[in-house]
Amino acid sequence: MIFFTESLPRDWFDWTNAGIGVVGLLFTLWAVLQATGAKQAAVSTEKSVKKHNAEFDFDTLTRMAKELHGYVESGMMSEAKLRTTDLRTELAVAIRHHEAYLGTQASLLKSKQADLKLVTDGLNRKADDLSQTERIRLLGITGAILDLLAGQCGQLHSATETGVTNG
């Protein structure tokens, strides 16, 4: 059963089919290139957001450490005890979430968690039971923690601005 009395020339049909196939292949390649670029942009954005989150978390930790140091300095031991508990918890969470951006500082920050445990033990006693030497020691520990957290916060801020990771 022939519908057309004249059949289409075979060469014209083959060339048209080949042309459409080449155009389809070019569109596919263009779409793959666009998708690859979009994926790279998404990965870059994800890293940037994670760096900003780490920076924000360590800025919060620095503020908490500053409050803790102030409480110990002014002899407000019950407030210092509460702040120490908060700081220990938040520091553990921050280290776990942002360890990739901490580099070599991660182990030092983990050791400061042990120092916070010492501070907690020292603060569990009544404020009157602490000698001047013990207060000075607590101030030294909280000051060192504050310095470390402030330094880490600064490094994260700098890395966020320049787009470079620490470590």
Side-chain angles (χ1 to χ4, degrees), residues 112-156:
K112 292 303 177 186
Q113 287 178 301
D115 289 349
L116 282 170
K117 174 70 171 123
L118 292 174
V119 171
T120 302
D121 292 344
L123 293 172
N124 279 334
R125 296 181 289 172
K126 293 181 181 175
D128 298 337
D129 293 345
L130 291 175
S131 68
Q132 188 63 22
T133 306
E134 289 172 323
R135 271 188 204 216
I136 291 171
R137 182 171 177 246
L138 287 176
L139 279 172
I141 293 171
T142 59
I145 292 168
L146 175 59
D147 289 344
L148 179 63
L149 289 173
Q152 185 62 53
C153 183
Q155 285 179 352
L156 288 169

Side-chain angles (χ1 to χ4, degrees), residues 35-149:
T36 302
K39 181 180 178 181
Q40 289 172 348
V43 168
S44 175
T45 301
E46 178 187 21
K47 287 180 182 177
S48 178
V49 167
K50 286 182 178 181
K51 286 179 190 176
H52 281 286
N53 286 343
E55 179 187 352
F56 176 78
D57 287 350
F58 276 89
D59 183 53
T60 302
L61 287 170
T62 301
R63 286 189 202 135
M64 291 172 77
K66 188 174 183 179
E67 288 176 7
L68 170 62
H69 188 70
Y71 290 146
V72 171
E73 191 172 42
S74 62
M76 302 169 69
M77 296 306 165
S78 59
E79 290 86 353
K81 183 178 172 182
L82 291 173
R83 184 52 64 196
T84 301
T85 305
D86 294 343
L87 185 58
R88 283 178 62 201
T89 304
E90 294 298 321
L91 182 58
V93 169
I95 290 171
R96 181 145 170 90
H97 284 163
H98 308 298
E99 195 163 1
Y101 300 108
L102 300 177
T104 58
Q105 294 285 72
S107 61
L108 190 55
L109 287 165
K110 287 177 184 177
S111 73
K112 292 303 177 186
Q113 287 178 301
D115 289 349
L116 282 170
K117 174 70 171 123
L118 292 174
V119 171
T120 302
D121 292 344
L123 293 172
N124 279 334
R125 296 181 289 172
K126 293 181 181 175
D128 298 337
D129 293 345
L130 291 175
S131 68
Q132 188 63 22
T133 306
E134 289 172 323
R135 271 188 204 216
I136 291 171
R137 182 171 177 246
L138 287 176
L139 279 172
I141 293 171
T142 59
I145 292 168
L146 175 59
D147 289 344
L148 179 63
L149 289 173

Side-chain angles (χ1 to χ4, degrees), residues 18-35:
I20 290 172
V22 168
V23 169
L25 180 63
L26 291 175
F27 275 132
T28 301
L29 292 174
W30 178 76
V32 167
L33 287 174
Q34 293 297 315

